[in-house]
Amino acid sequence: MDEELRSLTERLRQESGGSAAFDALAATEDPDELAEVLTAPGQPLWARELAAFRLGRAGDRRAFESLVLLLNHRDPPRCAGAAHALARLGDPRTARAAAALATNELRVAYALHPVRLLVALRAPESVPALITTLERRLRPHDPYRRVALACVEGLGALGDPRARRVLTEALAHPALAEAAVHALARLPKGEEKAGARSRGREKRTG
């Protein structure tokens, strides 16, 4: 059992009160039994989370909707577990869902794990969503610095030159400046030089 599964299992065992139902759900190897928990009425949250997590890690796409709901939960450990499972699920809808959650200003307090998931996925949606989220976090007195920092670090890890402008703007924010310096250093230099040459040609022909 790896650390992620061990941590989640122990947390949910405590939530369940160490019930026999928990032991049975944790031990079953039947994916249909796990999937049934996600649709059956009256199931406790710990049971739905455990079933979705195990199905997601196994690549069973029946877990997708439940994991997306957990990714935006108010409880950070649930978000982290869902992000871990979604990263391994392999569902093509995942990046779009994570981008929608990361850029939803009504739920920005819970955007940290969607942002981190987008970095892990390295999907076409990742960079535009992180840029949009970071731009909003650069407003004066924005309280969501952890989300902003995750965007800065993530854009550096993704290394896409489209992030150069917003990362440069982040330099003016003391809480983000050091991370922004490191992120900018990870962007490809060739793109910057090519852009400068292109602008030079435009001036000569203009």
Side-chain angles (χ1 to χ4, degrees), residues 52-112:
F53 183 87
R54 293 192 61 201
L55 286 171
R57 297 221 323 174
D60 190 319
R61 293 181 182 178
R62 289 177 290 183
F64 175 76
E65 288 83 2
S66 296
L67 289 172
V68 169
L69 289 173
L70 290 165
L71 180 64
N72 199 226
H73 198 275
R74 64 179 180 274
D75 186 0
R78 297 198 199 280
C79 301
H84 174 88
L86 282 165
R88 288 151 181 79
L89 179 59
D91 193 301
R93 299 170 291 175
T94 298
R96 188 180 308 164
L101 293 176
T103 57
N104 183 350
E105 280 295 282
L106 296 178
R107 302 287 293 176
V108 64
Y110 312 112
L112 180 62

Side-chain angles (χ1 to χ4, degrees), residues 17 19-21 46 49 57 97 116 122 125 132 164 166 172 179 196 206:
S19 65
W46 64 259
E49 183 179 357
R57 297 221 323 174
R116 290 176 175 171
R122 294 182 169 269
E125 295 88 348
T132 296
R164 190 176 303 280
V166 72

Side-chain angles (χ1 to χ4, degrees), residues 29-45:
E29 298 297 333
D30 183 355
D32 291 335
E33 185 177 343
L34 293 171
E36 187 177 349
V37 172
L38 301 181
T39 57
Q43 293 293 327
L45 181 57

Side-chain angles (χ1 to χ4, degrees), residues 126-139 145 147-156 158-173 176-177 179-181 183-184 187:
S126 297
V127 170
L130 265 62
I131 289 175
T132 296
T133 304
L134 180 56
E135 285 174 339
R136 295 169 178 170
R137 307 282 68 79
L138 297 181
R139 297 166 182 165
R145 283 302 181 210
V147 175
L149 184 59
C151 288
V152 170
E153 293 172 345
L155 287 169
L158 293 171
D160 192 302
R162 289 176 292 175
R164 190 176 303 280
R165 178 187 57 80
V166 72
L167 289 174
T168 301
E169 293 174 6
L171 292 171
H173 297 258
L176 304 175
V181 168
L184 283 164
L187 300 187

